[in-house]
Amino acid sequence: MRKINRSYQAYLIDLDGTIYAGERRIPTAERFIKTLQERGLPFSILTNNATVKPEVLVETLAKHHHIQVDVENIYTSTMALIDYLKRVHPKDTFFVIGESALQTSLLEAGLSVADSDQAQHVVQGLSRQVDYQQLSQAVRILLAGGEFLVTNMDRLIPTKDGFFPSSGAITSFIAYASQVQPKVFGKPHRPIVEGALASLNQSVENCLLIGDNYETDIQAGIQVGMDTLMVLTGVSQRSDLEGKTNLPTYVVNDLSEWEG
C-alpha cells in the first residue's frame, strides 16, 4: 500500500458501505462527493444492485444522504449487462429471472423479453419471488444452448432484519442444474468497471476505484489494473488484508483522509 502521492482525473465509487451504510449516513463520503463536484472531477457511482433503477438511487441519495447527483453519475450491473446484450445479442430474446427493475430496463433498452421457450438466453439477477418453475425454465433454455447472463454473484443481501440470500444463490442453483457457467457483469468482474470507464471516457491509468469490500470492489479494480482505495466504513477491515497478495493501492479509515 502506497502513501497518497498523486491526483486522479476521475473516480469510480462503490455505493453501499462507501457512500452510505444501509440506512446509515456516512457524512465524510457525502462531503467527498461534494468536493468532486466543486472541483469538476468526473465520477461514476458503481453498484451491483439490479433491483432498483438509477433514477431511484438518485432519489435515495438526495432524500436520505444529502447527495445531489444525476442519473449519468450512476452505473449498475444491469447497465453493464445491457451494454453487452445490445452489442452481442441485439436481436435475440431473453428469459429474465429478476425483479421488475431488471426486466423493465431490458425493455426500455429495446431488447426482447419472453416467458416461454421462445427465449434464447437467460438473464438473471436477484428475485425475491423466484419459484421452481422459473428456475426450471431457465435450465431448459441453457440446456438448449442459451447463454447464461448474470447481473452479479453477490452471496448475501443485507437488510434491517439481517442477511438473506442474494443473486449468487440463484445463480448457483441454475449453474449446478444446467452445468452452464454464467457470464457475470457486476463486481468483482470486469464488465461493470470497463462500462463505467467508457461512460466517463476515461482510462484505467487516470482513474481511482474506491470501495469498502476487498472481495468485490477492490478486486474489481485489481482485475483491470486500476489503482484502488479501500475505506474502512463498511465490510472489510485491515485485518482482512492479512496474507493477501494483491493489496489495495491505498487504505484510509474514511474519505476525510483522502487528499488526492
Side-chain angles (χ1 to χ4, degrees):
M1 287 171 282
R2 301 202 302 262
K3 291 183 178 179
I4 299 169
N5 59 4
R6 61 162 293 187
S7 297
Y8 295 88
Q9 296 178 17
Y11 291 82
L12 303 184
I13 311 166
D14 170 56
L15 189 60
D16 200 353
T18 302
I19 293 178
Y20 57 64
E23 298 180 357
R24 178 172 60 84
R25 292 174 58 194
I26 303 179
T28 52
E30 295 169 5
R31 290 194 293 272
F32 176 76
I33 296 294
K34 289 182 175 65
T35 298
L36 293 183
Q37 293 170 325
E38 290 167 358
R39 295 173 61 188
L41 289 171
F43 65 92
S44 186
I45 295 170
L46 301 188
T47 178
N48 278 356
N49 191 343
T51 65
V52 294
K53 298 180 70 176
E55 294 85 351
V56 175
L57 293 174
V58 168
E59 183 179 344
T60 297
L61 287 169
K63 184 176 180 180
H64 300 292
H65 302 282
H66 307 285
I67 295 174
Q68 305 290 334
V69 297
D70 298 322
V71 171
E72 290 74 19
N73 292 118
I74 307 290
Y75 197 83
T76 71
S77 60
T78 298
M79 296 168 68
L81 185 149
I82 287 173
D83 287 346
Y84 173 82
L85 298 185
K86 291 173 71 174
R87 187 174 68 251
V88 179
H89 299 295
K91 299 185 182 301
D92 290 349
T93 301
F94 306 94
F95 177 72
V96 179
I97 292 179
E99 302 194 355
S100 61
L102 178 58
Q103 181 157 315
T104 300
S105 295
L106 264 67
L107 293 171
E108 290 177 349
L111 297 164
S112 177
V113 172
D115 289 330
S116 68
D117 289 328
Q118 295 175 356
Q120 296 153 285
H121 309 286
V122 175
V123 168
Q124 181 251 306
L126 171 62
S127 172
R128 284 163 282 204
Q129 295 79 40
V130 67
D131 59 29
Y132 186 78
Q133 182 177 350
Q134 292 175 310
L135 295 169
S136 298
Q137 180 72 31
V139 170
R140 289 199 300 273
I141 292 168
L142 297 180
L143 291 175
E147 193 168 11
F148 190 14
L149 306 155
V150 173
T151 59
N152 68 87
M153 283 287 289
D154 291 3
R155 183 171 60 90
L156 295 172
I157 182 170
T159 76
K160 62 182 178 60
D161 298 315
F163 288 95
F164 285 83
S166 192
S167 176
I170 301 171
T171 306
S172 295
F173 181 108
I174 297 170
Y176 182 78
S178 67
Q179 292 297 286
V180 174
Q181 293 305 305
K183 181 174 181 63
V184 185
F185 291 83
K187 299 172 289 184
H189 299 270
R190 298 174 64 100
I192 190 171
V193 177
E194 293 171 340
L197 284 172
S199 72
L200 293 174
N201 194 29
Q202 294 288 334
S203 67
V204 167
E205 294 77 17
N206 295 328
C207 193
L208 179 70
L209 191 149
I210 302 174
D212 71 292
N213 189 322
Y214 175 81
E215 298 297 339
T216 55
D217 307 321
I218 303 307
Q219 285 296 323
I222 290 171
Q223 290 292 324
V224 300
M226 184 183 296
D227 282 359
T228 57
L229 169 66
M230 192 173 92
V231 292
L232 306 181
T233 52
V235 173
S236 298
Q237 299 301 308
R238 292 184 192 274
S239 58
D240 295 311
L241 301 177
E242 294 177 4
K244 295 291 193 296
T245 302
N246 295 315
L247 296 175
T249 314
Y250 315 101
V251 178
V252 295
N253 291 307
D254 61 58
L255 284 169
S256 69
E257 297 179 1
W258 176 251
E259 299 173 358

